[in-house]
Amino acid sequence: MIDDGRALFQQIADSVADSIIDGTLAEETRAPSTNELAAFHRINPATAAKGVNMLVDKGILYKQRGVGMFVATGARDTLRRERQQAFADRFIEPLLGEARRLGLQPDDLVALIRDRAPHTTAPEGDPT
């Protein structure tokens, strides 16, 4: 995990966020401490703290003095919405631009995606 070209603290924040999104870290449960993250990833505790504090600043984690860090209620939904928006910005907008250049209509895009998408079940909590 640690060395994909992004800042280490960002990788730590993303790793914790991934665990929240996939349900490994449930809402209102204790999150790993900065020292635990630093020891696990063999990085400076200040670097781990910077990543964790990013999540605290966004309201994803909260501190209970003397007890530790916890995953906030609603954190999973917040992270999913944030990632969905980033996905749309990074992939959907360019896709739509190219589709317009090719004269494809929205229904054409849906058909192309359905033809290529593997048949899988929707993630937990996703009605689609």
Side-chain angles (χ1 to χ4, degrees):
M1 170 197 117
I2 304 289
D3 92 348
D4 69 359
R6 293 175 297 138
L8 291 175
F9 69 88
Q10 184 64 58
Q11 293 178 59
I12 294 297
D14 289 346
S15 175
V16 173
D18 288 345
S19 294
I20 294 167
I21 290 170
D22 72 18
T24 304
L25 279 176
E27 295 177 357
E28 296 303 324
T29 62
R30 187 180 165 284
S33 70
T34 55
N35 288 333
E36 289 168 337
L37 290 166
F40 180 79
H41 295 291
R42 297 185 182 135
I43 61 172
N44 185 311
T47 302
K50 189 171 179 180
V52 167
N53 286 332
M54 285 178 59
L55 296 174
V56 170
D57 291 344
K58 290 169 48 175
I60 302 302
L61 297 178
Y62 65 92
K63 299 176 185 180
Q64 277 193 348
R65 189 175 180 96
V67 181
M69 297 288 221
F70 291 82
V71 179
T73 299
R76 184 174 188 219
D77 289 338
T78 298
L79 288 168
R80 287 181 76 190
R81 280 192 306 275
E82 181 182 284
R83 294 238 180 131
Q84 287 168 357
Q85 184 60 52
F87 178 84
D89 293 344
R90 184 171 177 196
F91 298 106
I92 303 301
E93 288 301 324
L95 172 74
L96 292 172
E98 183 65 11
R100 279 190 291 277
R101 285 187 287 279
L102 296 173
L104 295 170
Q105 297 299 312
D107 288 342
D108 300 325
L109 286 175
V110 170
L112 286 169
I113 291 168
R114 287 197 176 155
D115 287 348
R116 286 164 177 77
H119 297 290
T120 60
T121 58
E124 181 183 325
D126 188 346
T128 58

